[in-house]
Amino acid sequence: MPNRTVLITGASGEIGQALIKSLSGNEFTTLVTVDLKELPEELSGKSKHFVGNLLNKDLLSGLEEEYNFNMIYHLAAVLSTTAEHDPLLAHQVNTCSTIDLLEIAARQSREQSQPVKFLFPSSIAVYGLPDLKTKNRITTIKESEWTNPTTMYGCSKLYCEKVGNYYSEYYHQLADTEPVRLDFRALRFPGIISAFTIPSGGTSDFGPEMIHYAAQGKPYDCFVREDVRIPFMVMPDAVRSLELLAEAPMENLQTRIYNVTSFSFSAQDFKDLAQNSFPGSEIYFKPDPKRQAIVDSWPADVDDSAARNDWNWQPEYNLQDACQEYLLKNISNLYNL
Ligand code: AKB
């Protein structure tokens, strides 16, 4: 296998940490990571880590000068709830940093005369269903349907999908220059549940938060109604789907944007799981109408048949394995239960 240099932004976040663990086992891969924060102790030494803000142009130009990237996992983002508190910041972090990194990838793909792959985690937040009646009527949603996001996070993810596709297919289409060979690929992730880290700033956080609180014996006030249902997957499947899409032969891909999911779960399902697994858990439903409205606009489930057909996507953890084999086992270990 040829040596390759991989950049991961947002490396200290939930997906970033899990991706570093997975990719750092490969002796042919040099990992370069960036985040506002240091990496946790257990990951230090697994990458060349830079602490800094992606909006700092000097940081990016320094990285461009020092490294020739073969692949970029651009994970850094302001998530949906945080983004509604500061939409301008969300725009800057989520879209401006993406354009800057796409520019670097485009230049480097030209200089190296080979494709630079650009992997982008998009989200079910790109969907926007107008009301609960519509949400309940639709069983699964395809990539091309209902892309009317109601959040700044969803808008920025949708824009980045479009612009990533533009950089791969049409960039500088009228200029008399060598075409760039940037290879942008995006996954629309559902809510992601990690057994090792607790999410923050998202609106799908009610599920993982509930389980982690219950395991620690802490009461939890759930900010959505019990009947709220959205798709979820566990972290190992999220990381595996990113790596599978990254490695899929281009000729098999009929699109650059794919839904992926494992199971659809309601807030009440999470409560039942928590109470069966950690008897005595105190979970109360105290919906916040504004956060509630955001998840009401997200689909209850997505159709990931394109990913299944084009690059053999299949989650390793179905609902039962996700709960028993991954979540409860690891969470119990984490909190020494
Ligand atoms: C969020 O809630 O903002 C994210 C997402 C669904 O993309 N977890």
Side-chain angles (χ1 to χ4, degrees):
M1 189 184 194
N3 289 337
R4 61 180 192 170
T5 305
V6 176
L7 173 65
I8 305 176
T9 72
S12 304
E14 283 201 289
I15 306 180
Q17 292 186 33
L19 188 62
I20 293 172
K21 279 188 196 143
S22 173
L23 293 178
S24 59
N26 186 329
E27 57 177 315
F28 299 105
T29 299
T30 302
L31 280 185
V32 180
T33 54
V34 185
D35 200 284
L36 288 171
K37 295 192 212 140
E38 286 290 356
L39 290 174
E41 189 72 33
E42 51 170 320
L43 295 180
S44 71
K46 293 197 183 297
S47 69
K48 176 83 186 98
H49 186 64
F50 293 82
V51 174
N53 190 329
L54 288 178
L55 298 176
N56 173 351
K57 303 269 182 202
D58 292 341
L59 171 68
L60 288 189
S61 54
L63 289 172
E64 184 177 2
E65 250 166 57
E66 197 169 341
Y67 299 100
N68 286 324
F69 296 114
N70 304 97
M71 200 179 274
I72 296 176
Y73 288 90
H74 178 34
L75 310 179
V78 174
L79 295 186
S80 53
T81 291
T82 308
E84 288 317 296
H85 292 291
D86 195 343
L88 183 59
L89 176 73
H91 163 74
Q92 288 162 340
V93 173
N94 295 1
T95 64
C96 301
S97 73
T98 304
I99 293 280
D100 289 343
L101 285 160
L102 284 166
E103 282 286 327
I104 292 177
R107 279 193 292 275
Q108 292 205 336
S109 76
R110 216 180 239 146
E111 283 156 21
Q112 296 173 34
S113 297
Q114 62 174 0
V116 172
K117 285 188 182 161
F118 196 109
L119 272 296
F120 183 73
S122 187
S123 163
I124 51 164
V126 301
Y127 297 113
L129 298 167
D131 47 47
L132 274 180
K133 202 165 146 226
T134 313
K135 174 162 172 159
N136 293 335
R137 178 169 56 80
I138 289 167
T139 44
T140 55
I141 203 163
K142 284 194 193 305
E143 285 85 349
S144 58
E145 299 171 329
W146 300 100
T147 47
N148 304 310
T150 63
T151 59
M152 186 53 140
Y153 173 71
C155 292
S156 61
K157 288 288 181 189
L158 188 59
Y159 171 77
C160 290
E161 288 180 3
K162 300 278 181 206
V163 95
N165 187 62
Y166 164 80
Y167 268 78
S168 287
E169 305 287 345
Y170 307 109
Y171 183 64
H172 271 189
Q173 56 194 304
L174 300 184
D176 197 13
T177 47
E178 275 284 295
V180 299
R181 307 226 225 142
L182 195 156
D183 183 356
F184 177 88
R185 303 173 180 198
L187 285 176
R188 287 188 186 156
F189 278 128
I192 298 176
I193 319 169
S194 167
F196 302 100
T197 48
I198 308 183
S200 72
T203 321
S204 59
D205 296 359
F206 64 88
E209 273 178 6
M210 203 185 283
I211 303 290
H212 279 271
Y213 273 62
Q216 294 172 85
K218 292 185 191 164
Y220 182 68
D221 288 342
C222 180
F223 57 83
V224 296
R225 291 185 317 265
E226 50 268 55
D227 64 299
V228 156
R229 177 179 291 278
I230 56 169
F232 283 94
M233 72 198 317
V234 289
M235 187 59 82
D237 273 331
V239 167
R240 208 170 58 84
S241 65
L242 268 175
E243 293 185 64
L244 279 176
L245 178 60
E247 301 308 335
M250 187 61 218
E251 59 272 20
N252 293 359
L253 305 188
Q254 299 191 30
T255 171
R256 294 186 176 276
I257 321 292
Y258 288 93
N259 283 338
V260 276
T261 187
S262 295
F263 49 85
S264 168
F265 222 40
S266 72
Q268 180 66 46
D269 294 333
F270 275 107
K271 178 172 175 177
D272 294 342
L273 174 67
Q275 291 190 324
N276 290 336
S277 314
F278 309 107
S281 314
E282 289 178 65
I283 294 161
Y284 308 98
F285 289 101
K286 299 198 175 157
D288 164 355
K290 292 181 181 163
R291 294 182 91 185
Q292 173 71 61
I294 292 176
V295 279
D296 281 345
S297 77
W298 293 351
D301 205 353
V302 295
D303 177 345
D304 62 359
S305 55
R308 288 173 187 259
N309 290 334
D310 291 2
W311 42 278
N312 295 325
W313 158 245
Q314 201 170 1
E316 243 163 34
Y317 293 89
N318 60 22
L319 177 57
Q320 187 172 336
D321 292 344
C323 296
Q324 299 306 329
E325 293 305 312
Y326 172 71
L327 277 177
L328 299 179
K329 240 187 220 170
N330 288 313
I331 286 184
S332 301
N333 280 344
L334 183 71
Y335 299 118
N336 301 319
L337 301 176

